[in-house]
Amino acid sequence: MSDFPSNWGRWGDSDQRGAVNLITDEVRARGVAEARIGLTVSIARATTPFPLTGGPMAPTTAATTAVQTAMLFTGFGAPAMAEVMIVTTHHPEVTHLDGLGHWAEGGRVYPGVDVADSSGPTGVRHGAADVYGDGILTRGVLLDLAPGRRLSPGHPVTGADLDTAAARAGVRVLPGDALVVRGGWDRVVDGDQPLPGMTLDAVRWMHEHGIAVYAGDIGDARPPLPGETPGALHRFALGRLAIPLIDAADPENLAAVCERLERWTFQFVVAAPRIVGTTGLPVNPLAVF
Amino acid sequence: MSDFPSNWGRWGDSDQRGAVNLITDEVRARGVAEARIGLTVSIARATTPFPLTGGPMAPTTAATTAVQTAMLFTGFGAPAMAEVMIVTTHHPEVTHLDGLGHWAEGGRVYPGVDVADSSGPTGVRHGAADVYGDGILTRGVLLDLAPGRRLSPGHPVTGADLDTAAARAGVRVLPGDALVVRGGWDRVVDGDQPLPGMTLDAVRWMHEHGIAVYAGDIGDARPPLPGETPGALHRFALGRLAIPLIDAADPENLAAVCERLERWTFQFVVAAPRIVGTTGLPVNPLAVF
Amino acid sequence: MSDFPSNWGRWGDSDQRGAVNLITDEVRARGVAEARIGLTVSIARATTPFPLTGGPMAPTTAATTAVQTAMLFTGFGAPAMAEVMIVTTHHPEVTHLDGLGHWAEGGRVYPGVDVADSSGPTGVRHGAADVYGDGILTRGVLLDLAPGRRLSPGHPVTGADLDTAAARAGVRVLPGDALVVRGGWDRVVDGDQPLPGMTLDAVRWMHEHGIAVYAGDIGDARPPLPGETPGALHRFALGRLAIPLIDAADPENLAAVCERLERWTFQFVVAAPRIVGTTGLPVNPLAVF
Amino acid sequence: MSDFPSNWGRWGDSDQRGAVNLITDEVRARGVAEARIGLTVSIARATTPFPLTGGPMAPTTAATTAVQTAMLFTGFGAPAMAEVMIVTTHHPEVTHLDGLGHWAEGGRVYPGVDVADSSGPTGVRHGAADVYGDGILTRGVLLDLAPGRRLSPGHPVTGADLDTAAARAGVRVLPGDALVVRGGWDRVVDGDQPLPGMTLDAVRWMHEHGIAVYAGDIGDARPPLPGETPGALHRFALGRLAIPLIDAADPENLAAVCERLERWTFQFVVAAPRIVGTTGLPVNPLAVF
């Protein structure tokens, strides 16, 4: 894979934003121009937390979830209700942004920082998710790989698949775009079947088209795709191309709206809570029409 | 206070969105029209988590924070770094959205639901923060109460203060707008001094101007303002008018950008992680120019 | 039930130790005299924590548990492994001590303290589990209600049942003793069947025999026993008689050892971690022979 | 240090109990014989948890602690109060048992297991703290290094110091004993001064005397002792001799009782909550007289 393209060094030796650098002023202006009526559609999965309480106060058996909450006792007669929340961000039940510091290839994080320097017991020092603290705004393009249905189990998504979807929608993907992919799969609900996944060919396509950020319900296949590089999306799109990934996204509603409006481009905007120094954060990316 | 205006029942007996209903299609279109160049500015406070680890692995004394993280052991030689995160949402260190179910006046949550029905040990059933799961987008207006400085300690913010700031900026606040207020205070950093706060008069002003959502660095005063109704913002804006509050916002950078661009209106957009059934969620509201 | 005996006031108006006061110097000496060979047997249930990590790092579906752990990243090449642990104490999967502040009858905690005074959002001020910080040591007696088998589903345990078991073992229960009861049930494993439980009659028996502390695999029945007072053990033994309960104990190994040694009395000792101000704590009570 | 004695292999290649194997039947009987009146004294530090709640519900600044609790909302009118508890076990504020799997020297855990085999993201598979699930009972000996006062800052504790204390108390330390050491220091309260610590010479003394388990307020020095092997107690007593350590113990009350009774030996008993698969657990060791 040593001939696979790399963005390491492309924006300097200490860059932390990666492919988001492709969102220039011109790209940003193209993004906001897509928003006309102000309709907003979430591209996030709804996550139902599981209560931390047990015993007689809650069921004792349940599926685990990415988020757990405990409703707090705020005092007798207190007017406010509140809770504490425990989040395991990199979980398929919650839509989350993978920061560049989440992934180390050969012990190094984009653009070449030793993982021992980028991450420590108390947090992330290089490539944390909060480097996008002012939000990411650009044009978004939905490529629906299986309109009205879902991809076959274990389908290897290729660049040709992405081209086909773009042609079907009549859109041209441009440098700096946010790529939103729908395959009709949910890693949690469908987790007992072979999950489709991105091939290295698809990641190369992302590079050639200058994708700045990725969001989709298709990630890396499980089990690995026969004859394909395993973990292509995380290893090459996130690790080598420094494209931040919005993992476990849910573009189902977005696809319905695109169909209805007959538009597959929109203002894409995402802003994670400004929590400093983490490898990832839960997010709710929006498509604005 | 029984003559204070109320929105209970205004949008039906089972409504969960409150004043966000004021954001009509027309209002939304006005909101997106504000975005021209695509510049995004966060209105959130950066929150530095404190590590959960202790002993020789981390300092044993520190200020508490709203967010704690523990970097996880993902296995020897694993390429991915990850953490678990504990969030106490209603904390002055983290910008968060107060859902309508956060507040009960007289044992009732907007628009009259018994708090025993809206909240239980396992979560919120009415007025949870996730009812805004598709995001909130409208026009935002920054009213800077103390440009280039901060309000006096314990200053009672009135409707006249808001009018003065609007006149200074040359803006007219319209129904459905997001009101962003800057007073130059930070509840954490400045917590040892008397905090300014909203008066009932200011909340009445919000009602008269049809504010749909509030974000600011001014909340309820601490200690209570002499001669004023304590907790006016939470009790009346959130509780009675059902205006969702974005608490502990940080409009400092936004004020600088507004000054530079000489514009105090913008596309306001906020989308909390889609975590279901909580009284509040950490958010990162954006101003888009 | 107003004629049911009560220990409220028996040891003063501000007492926090309840029936543990029955363990006098003489009783304690009787307890240590039981230990001769130093064989120790745990009366606690082994609790397997569930990992907090998710995604590719751990299974995404599993039964919940009382304890969750996350193995921490302690640095590359660090010699120490460590974890953070989340405990929901009052859970049937973990043997735990119910402090007297865990239970309020009619809004009052033994011996008559308003629950608003005994408990607040930041912890327990009266009747916390740590009042037994120096440990509880006394003579323990195992009453095995169903040697070599288990009680019938939904069996109502009465004083006569306890008498029968004592006669079978040839022991006389004395004031200040720790009562250990085995019924052969596990609330987690057998939770889909009607659980046997203590009747008010059995609780009265405990009072008449001067039980100082209770540990057992029989608690309150679920569903409630027909024709019996629901929650008799928690409401009357814990709430009114102030007998601290060791909930979700597992006397299975102990019963086997008692059979083998033909002895049903032993030194009983329990010492919870000295964590201050909680309603309960996980414990590992020991029988010492 | 390659000539330093080692217990690796002494009890087989798959042993998980280490020096606790020194507690034979005879040693155990000697232990229980020490208990005569049944007086129990805790050797644990009292740990005050810090509340997880924030904002108006709790102070926003405080020292961190090993344990955090959140009082739960159990429903309106519910008779039971309960909390969730977050524990970072290896913290100087909480007395805890270091299991043998806590420490890896040269990537190996006693008695030679690769740390990648002993520990994984979901827990400890070899040398977990729960291997002592039935408790540890033996004779305990208190060696008070500085009766009525505390050791000098940065004092290097040697075998000669231990001999002096034993001679002063008139006790002979025997194989299988639990060694309890008092130096009068508290790592949390006194953490701003140079902490005394065990030298390699003292660890060798422990080996020569056949110590089975260690508890004390003296651990490894901080900063490291000049001219001494750093981390001698953890690296050599725990790592090589497989003596489980009870870290952050508090023998202050015990010393007072020993003085009063003029006895420096006692029944030592410790039983951690039976939580499976962790590197350590909070404990409350007892001295029984």
Side-chain angles (χ1 to χ4, degrees):
Chain A
M1 291 307 130
S2 57
D3 63 336
F4 192 87
S6 169
N7 281 332
W8 290 26
R10 180 171 176 185
W11 297 285
D13 288 348
S14 59
D15 179 58
Q16 299 192 65
R17 297 175 62 82
V20 172
N21 283 299
L22 295 168
I23 306 175
T24 60
D25 288 351
E26 188 190 338
V27 169
R28 243 184 302 272
R30 190 174 74 216
V32 293
E34 291 285 335
R36 296 160 204 170
I37 59 174
L39 174 67
T40 54
V41 183
S42 170
I43 315 175
R45 203 177 181 287
T47 305
T48 301
F50 189 75
L52 267 170
T53 48
M57 289 163 256
T60 56
T61 304
T64 56
T65 183
V67 182
Q68 297 172 91
T69 52
M71 190 68 77
L72 298 170
F73 173 66
T74 52
F76 292 100
M81 301 297 297
E83 62 278 295
V84 64
M85 186 160 70
I86 300 182
V87 183
T88 53
T89 306
H90 298 284
H91 188 292
E93 283 202 341
V94 66
T95 304
H96 59 273
L97 176 81
D98 283 353
L100 302 183
H102 175 50
W103 203 261
E105 272 295 317
R108 298 199 168 263
V109 166
Y110 165 88
V113 176
D114 192 309
V115 65
D117 292 328
S118 73
S119 278
T122 62
V124 176
R125 290 178 293 257
H126 178 90
D130 67 273
V131 302
Y132 311 115
D134 273 315
I136 299 173
L137 185 151
T138 187
R139 189 179 77 146
V141 177
L142 173 68
L143 297 189
D144 190 343
L145 302 178
R149 53 177 193 92
R150 66 171 201 177
L151 288 174
S152 306
H155 179 88
V157 178
T158 62
D161 288 336
L162 298 169
D163 279 332
T164 302
R168 187 190 298 124
V171 296
R172 199 158 71 89
V173 176
L174 298 172
D177 276 352
L179 174 63
V180 184
V181 167
R182 178 192 169 277
W185 282 73
D186 182 312
R187 291 182 93 79
V188 178
V189 177
D190 307 322
D192 55 340
Q193 301 162 59
L195 294 166
M198 289 289 167
T199 63
L200 199 57
D201 182 67
V203 176
R204 193 184 299 267
W205 185 100
M206 293 180 202
H207 179 65
E208 289 164 0
H209 288 76
I211 299 304
V213 56
Y214 174 83
D217 62 1
I218 301 297
D220 282 309
R222 194 185 60 209
L225 303 169
E228 296 285 341
T229 304
L233 189 66
H234 281 80
R235 292 182 58 198
F236 289 88
L238 178 61
R240 196 174 302 200
L241 300 179
I243 300 174
L245 304 180
I246 296 176
D247 231 349
D250 180 354
E252 209 61 35
N253 288 346
L254 175 60
V257 172
C258 287
E259 284 289 341
R260 181 160 57 79
L261 301 182
E262 297 185 338
R263 282 182 54 194
W264 280 264
T265 59
F266 39 82
Q267 173 187 320
F268 174 94
V269 62
V270 64
R274 292 191 69 183
I275 296 170
V276 174
T278 69
T279 65
L281 287 167
V283 289
N284 187 351
L286 295 184
V288 187
F289 291 89
Chain B
M1 290 307 131
S2 57
D3 63 336
F4 192 87
S6 169
N7 280 333
W8 289 27
R10 181 170 174 184
W11 296 287
D13 287 347
S14 58
D15 179 58
Q16 298 192 65
R17 298 174 61 82
V20 171
N21 284 298
L22 295 169
I23 306 176
T24 60
D25 288 351
E26 188 191 337
V27 168
R28 243 184 303 273
R30 190 174 72 215
V32 292
E34 292 284 336
R36 295 160 205 171
I37 58 173
L39 173 67
T40 54
V41 183
S42 169
I43 316 175
R45 202 176 183 287
T47 304
T48 302
F50 189 76
L52 267 169
T53 47
M57 289 163 255
T60 56
T61 305
T64 55
T65 183
V67 182
Q68 297 173 93
T69 52
M71 190 68 77
L72 298 170
F73 173 65
T74 53
F76 292 100
M81 302 298 297
E83 62 278 296
V84 64
M85 186 160 70
I86 300 182
V87 183
T88 53
T89 306
H90 299 282
H91 188 292
E93 284 202 342
V94 66
T95 303
H96 59 274
L97 176 81
D98 283 352
L100 303 183
H102 175 49
W103 203 262
E105 272 294 317
R108 297 199 169 265
V109 166
Y110 165 87
V113 176
D114 192 309
V115 65
D117 292 328
S118 73
S119 277
T122 62
V124 176
R125 291 178 293 257
H126 178 90
D130 67 90
V131 302
Y132 311 115
D134 274 315
I136 299 173
L137 185 152
T138 187
R139 189 180 76 146
V141 177
L142 173 67
L143 297 189
D144 190 343
L145 302 179
R149 53 177 192 93
R150 67 171 201 177
L151 288 175
S152 307
H155 179 88
V157 177
T158 62
D161 288 335
L162 297 168
D163 279 331
T164 302
R168 188 189 298 126
V171 297
R172 200 158 70 89
V173 176
L174 297 171
D177 277 352
L179 174 64
V180 183
V181 167
R182 178 192 169 277
W185 283 73
D186 182 310
R187 291 182 93 78
V188 178
V189 177
D190 306 322
D192 56 340
Q193 301 162 59
L195 294 166
M198 289 289 166
T199 63
L200 198 58
D201 182 66
V203 177
R204 191 183 300 267
W205 184 100
M206 292 179 202
H207 179 64
E208 288 164 0
H209 288 76
I211 299 304
V213 55
Y214 173 85
D217 62 0
I218 299 297
D220 281 309
R222 194 185 61 212
L225 303 169
E228 296 285 342
T229 304
L233 189 67
H234 282 80
R235 293 181 57 198
F236 289 88
L238 178 61
R240 196 176 299 203
L241 300 179
I243 301 173
L245 304 180
I246 297 176
D247 231 350
D250 180 354
E252 208 62 35
N253 289 345
L254 175 60
V257 172
C258 287
E259 286 288 342
R260 181 160 57 80
L261 301 181
E262 296 186 338
R263 281 182 54 195
W264 280 264
T265 59
F266 39 82
Q267 174 187 321
F268 174 95
V269 62
V270 64
R274 291 192 69 183
I275 297 170
V276 173
T278 67
T279 64
L281 288 167
V283 290
N284 188 351
L286 295 184
V288 186
F289 291 90
Chain C
M1 292 305 130
S2 56
D3 63 337
F4 192 87
S6 169
N7 281 333
W8 290 27
R10 182 171 174 183
W11 297 285
D13 287 348
S14 57
D15 178 59
Q16 300 192 65
R17 296 174 63 82
V20 172
N21 284 298
L22 295 168
I23 306 176
T24 60
D25 288 351
E26 188 191 338
V27 168
R28 242 186 302 272
R30 190 174 73 216
V32 292
E34 292 284 337
R36 296 159 204 171
I37 59 173
L39 173 67
T40 55
V41 183
S42 169
I43 315 175
R45 201 176 185 288
T47 304
T48 301
F50 189 76
L52 267 169
T53 47
M57 289 163 255
T60 57
T61 304
T64 55
T65 183
V67 182
Q68 297 172 92
T69 52
M71 191 67 78
L72 298 171
F73 173 66
T74 52
F76 292 100
M81 302 297 298
E83 62 278 295
V84 64
M85 186 160 69
I86 301 182
V87 183
T88 53
T89 306
H90 298 283
H91 188 292
E93 283 202 342
V94 68
T95 304
H96 59 273
L97 176 82
D98 284 352
L100 303 183
H102 175 49
W103 203 262
E105 272 295 318
R108 297 199 170 266
V109 166
Y110 165 87
V113 176
D114 193 309
V115 65
D117 291 328
S118 73
S119 278
T122 62
V124 177
R125 290 177 292 257
H126 178 91
D130 67 271
V131 302
Y132 311 116
D134 273 314
I136 298 173
L137 186 151
T138 187
R139 190 180 75 147
V141 177
L142 173 68
L143 297 189
D144 190 342
L145 302 179
R149 53 177 192 92
R150 67 171 201 177
L151 288 175
S152 306
H155 179 87
V157 177
T158 62
D161 289 336
L162 298 168
D163 279 332
T164 301
R168 187 188 298 127
V171 296
R172 200 157 70 89
V173 176
L174 298 171
D177 277 352
L179 174 63
V180 183
V181 167
R182 179 193 168 276
W185 282 73
D186 182 310
R187 291 182 93 80
V188 178
V189 177
D190 306 322
D192 55 341
Q193 301 163 58
L195 295 166
M198 289 289 167
T199 63
L200 199 56
D201 182 67
V203 177
R204 193 183 300 267
W205 185 100
M206 293 180 202
H207 180 63
E208 288 164 1
H209 288 75
I211 299 305
V213 56
Y214 174 85
D217 63 0
I218 300 296
D220 282 309
R222 194 188 59 211
L225 302 169
E228 295 285 342
T229 304
L233 189 67
H234 281 80
R235 292 181 59 199
F236 290 88
L238 178 62
R240 196 175 299 202
L241 300 178
I243 300 173
L245 305 179
I246 296 177
D247 230 350
D250 180 354
E252 208 62 36
N253 289 346
L254 175 60
V257 172
C258 288
E259 285 288 343
R260 180 159 59 80
L261 300 181
E262 296 185 339
R263 282 182 55 194
W264 280 264
T265 58
F266 38 84
Q267 173 186 320
F268 175 94
V269 62
V270 63
R274 291 192 71 184
I275 296 170
V276 174
T278 68
T279 64
L281 288 167
V283 289
N284 187 351
L286 295 184
V288 186
F289 292 89
Chain D
M1 290 307 131
S2 56
D3 63 337
F4 192 86
S6 169
N7 282 332
W8 289 28
R10 181 171 175 185
W11 297 285
D13 287 348
S14 58
D15 178 58
Q16 299 192 66
R17 297 174 62 82
V20 172
N21 285 299
L22 295 169
I23 306 176
T24 60
D25 288 351
E26 187 191 339
V27 169
R28 244 186 301 272
R30 189 174 73 216
V32 293
E34 292 284 336
R36 296 160 204 172
I37 58 173
L39 173 67
T40 55
V41 183
S42 170
I43 316 176
R45 203 177 182 286
T47 305
T48 301
F50 189 76
L52 267 170
T53 47
M57 289 163 256
T60 55
T61 305
T64 55
T65 183
V67 183
Q68 298 172 91
T69 53
M71 190 68 77
L72 297 170
F73 173 66
T74 53
F76 293 100
M81 302 297 297
E83 61 279 295
V84 64
M85 186 160 70
I86 300 181
V87 183
T88 53
T89 305
H90 299 283
H91 188 292
E93 284 202 341
V94 67
T95 303
H96 59 272
L97 176 81
D98 283 352
L100 302 183
H102 175 50
W103 203 261
E105 273 293 318
R108 297 199 169 263
V109 166
Y110 164 89
V113 176
D114 192 309
V115 66
D117 292 328
S118 72
S119 278
T122 62
V124 176
R125 290 178 293 257
H126 179 89
D130 66 273
V131 302
Y132 310 115
D134 273 315
I136 299 172
L137 185 150
T138 188
R139 189 180 76 145
V141 177
L142 173 67
L143 297 189
D144 190 342
L145 303 179
R149 53 177 193 92
R150 66 172 201 178
L151 288 175
S152 306
H155 179 87
V157 177
T158 62
D161 289 335
L162 297 168
D163 279 331
T164 302
R168 188 189 298 125
V171 297
R172 199 158 69 89
V173 176
L174 297 171
D177 277 351
L179 174 63
V180 184
V181 167
R182 178 192 169 276
W185 282 73
D186 182 311
R187 291 182 94 78
V188 178
V189 176
D190 306 322
D192 56 340
Q193 301 163 58
L195 294 165
M198 288 290 167
T199 62
L200 198 57
D201 182 66
V203 176
R204 192 184 300 265
W205 185 100
M206 293 180 202
H207 180 64
E208 289 164 0
H209 289 75
I211 299 304
V213 56
Y214 173 84
D217 62 359
I218 299 297
D220 282 309
R222 195 185 59 211
L225 303 169
E228 296 285 342
T229 304
L233 189 67
H234 281 79
R235 292 182 59 198
F236 289 87
L238 177 63
R240 197 175 299 202
L241 300 179
I243 300 173
L245 305 180
I246 296 177
D247 230 350
D250 180 355
E252 208 62 36
N253 289 345
L254 175 59
V257 172
C258 288
E259 285 287 343
R260 181 159 58 79
L261 301 181
E262 296 185 340
R263 282 183 54 196
W264 280 264
T265 59
F266 38 83
Q267 174 187 320
F268 175 93
V269 62
V270 64
R274 291 191 70 182
I275 296 170
V276 174
T278 69
T279 64
L281 287 167
V283 290
N284 187 352
L286 295 184
V288 186
F289 291 88

